[in-house]
Amino acid sequence: MTSPLGKDLLGLEHLSAEQISLVLDTAEPLKEISERTIKKVPTLRGATIVNLFFEASTRTRTSFEFAEKRMSADTVNIAIAASSVSKGETLVDTARNLEAMRIDMVVIRHQSSGAARFLAERIESNVINAGDGTHEHPTQGLLDLLTLRQRFGTLKGKRVCICGDVLHSRVARSNIWGLTKLGAEVAVCGPRSLLPSAIEQMGVHVFDRIEQAIEWADALNVLRLQLERMQAGYIPSLREYNRVFGVTRERLDRAPRDILILHPGPMNRGVEIDSDVADGPHSVILEQVTNGVAVRMAVLYLLAGNSPRLAEAAKGGA
Ligand code: CP
């Protein structure tokens, strides 16, 4: 039995619209499992999944762990600082040693773009990219798509603007691929210093002013300023950034239509987004987090079909 997604989930760039829709359609019914008193189904019983996070994470790591546990997989979290990586062991050696203990899947977050693919090409286990450098964060893109589809019914013709630090954002790339494949119109907005130079080639509009983006969009996906990835000189100051590009209540009040506000988290409150927007009626930020568990359950479920040892377990259904 082969997975409809292939062996690994490395990004949305190489998935078709049908494959993306399949993940979203699979996630919808799985949401209900997290609303039960006993949040557990036997679908992935017998599967062993390793969460290998080389970078900090709250939402993605916890969400994967909940998804794995709610589907009855055995999960192990590798704390990189306390692992042999800190003694100089390579990524591939770490993964091969884990495979020697008979694992089935690896969820990896890594600071280097391409790390997930590098690993996927060298081990037999399914690899899921939980964010690699500035490249892609496919499950974040999928949960954003699910949240928008739930609110809008369809993404066809909807206008979504990705705001802020697009240059350093793997979330932006996964969103652009996913949204355009599902028929949405996509724009980006931010200081030119934080937009990739050839961004128009991805088929997006570019706005230089946040007011233009708010006038145009049905939804804004507001990105975190990734201060830890910035060497220097991208913006004059955080205060100046908020003054010119911040998504504020006053700016939203001038929007010509109801507008949804997404943010992948973690937020810099008072920088890219003000608290009364993040916590206000337009915000679907916590819906994104809830949907993240269902999307990750769907990805695990679909990928399991590609692993001979997991195929039997997956047949049990949700
Ligand atoms: N959205 C996201 O990736 O958040 P974490 O860094 O907390 O996982």
Side-chain angles (χ1 to χ4, degrees):
M1 178 163 143
T2 54
S3 157
L5 302 182
K7 173 179 164 285
D8 310 295
L9 178 67
L10 304 178
L12 300 191
E13 179 178 1
H14 300 295
L15 290 191
S16 64
E18 291 70 31
Q19 287 172 312
I20 292 172
S21 295
L22 176 67
V23 178
L24 306 187
D25 294 344
T26 307
E28 291 277 9
L30 293 175
K31 281 184 70 180
E32 182 269 330
I33 294 167
S34 296
E35 305 305 323
R36 296 182 192 172
T37 314
I38 299 174
K39 303 170 178 57
K40 218 165 182 76
V41 291
T43 313
L44 293 182
R45 198 157 54 197
T48 305
I49 305 177
V50 174
N51 299 315
L52 196 53
F53 277 62
F54 289 79
E55 267 189 352
S57 169
T58 299
R59 278 145 291 269
T60 311
R61 197 192 59 72
T62 314
S63 177
F64 266 111
E65 198 174 342
F66 278 138
E68 291 154 5
K69 289 193 161 138
R70 287 176 191 175
M71 300 191 96
S72 302
D74 294 318
T75 70
V76 176
N77 294 311
I78 307 283
I80 292 304
S83 77
S84 290
V85 171
S86 65
K87 299 177 192 165
E89 185 169 72
T90 65
L91 172 60
V92 170
D93 278 340
T94 299
R96 284 194 181 139
N97 277 274
L98 294 169
E99 275 203 313
M101 296 181 226
R102 303 291 179 254
I103 61 167
D104 298 290
M105 295 190 191
V106 177
V107 177
I108 179 171
R109 168 169 289 192
H110 200 281
Q111 60 277 12
S112 299
S113 301
R117 176 172 296 283
F118 179 83
L119 189 64
E121 288 170 353
R122 285 161 180 80
I123 65 173
E124 282 182 28
S125 306
N126 306 106
V127 174
I128 302 173
N129 182 5
D132 63 328
T134 59
H135 173 232
E136 281 224 41
H137 190 348
T139 55
Q140 179 70 45
L142 289 164
L143 74 87
D144 292 344
L145 293 173
L146 182 63
T147 305
L148 289 166
R149 199 179 76 163
Q150 260 172 212
R151 287 293 187 133
F152 291 142
T154 177
L155 284 160
K156 278 204 171 57
K158 291 296 172 193
R159 294 174 157 187
V160 182
C161 185
I162 300 165
C163 303
D165 186 359
V166 179
L167 183 68
H168 297 101
S169 179
R170 52 201 179 204
V171 175
R173 275 163 197 72
S174 290
N175 262 266
I176 292 170
W177 290 120
L179 286 164
T180 51
K181 282 169 199 265
L182 294 193
E185 273 192 70
V186 185
V188 295
C189 174
R192 287 283 166 162
S193 59
L194 291 177
L195 300 181
S197 54
I199 189 74
E200 289 93 342
Q201 287 172 16
M202 289 186 81
V204 302
H205 309 281
V206 178
F207 294 118
D208 291 310
R209 291 171 47 81
I210 192 71
E211 291 82 0
Q212 296 171 318
I214 289 171
E215 196 178 325
W216 176 85
D218 297 303
L220 301 183
N221 198 341
V222 186
L223 301 174
R224 181 173 72 88
L225 272 192
Q226 298 198 34
L227 301 169
E228 74 280 13
R229 293 194 208 275
M230 295 186 192
Q231 309 294 311
Y234 285 97
I235 52 168
S237 70
L238 298 183
R239 184 195 292 239
E240 178 77 357
Y241 183 86
N242 180 258
R243 195 180 65 74
V244 180
F245 286 101
V247 179
T248 63
R249 177 83 166 274
E250 297 69 46
R251 287 185 166 128
L252 280 190
D253 283 347
R254 290 198 282 272
R257 64 187 76 78
D258 264 351
I259 196 163
L260 290 186
I261 301 295
L262 296 89
H263 192 304
M267 289 184 271
N268 295 307
R269 288 174 181 261
V271 181
E272 70 267 3
I273 189 167
D274 280 2
S275 277
D276 51 5
V277 174
D279 305 327
H282 299 281
S283 170
V284 291
I285 293 169
L286 293 178
E287 267 178 59
Q288 290 173 266
V289 178
T290 302
N291 285 335
V293 178
V295 155
R296 289 170 178 125
M297 288 169 93
V299 167
L300 296 168
Y301 178 85
L302 292 168
L303 284 181
N306 197 43
S307 165
R309 265 183 294 151
L310 295 187
E312 276 310 302
K315 272 203 301 206

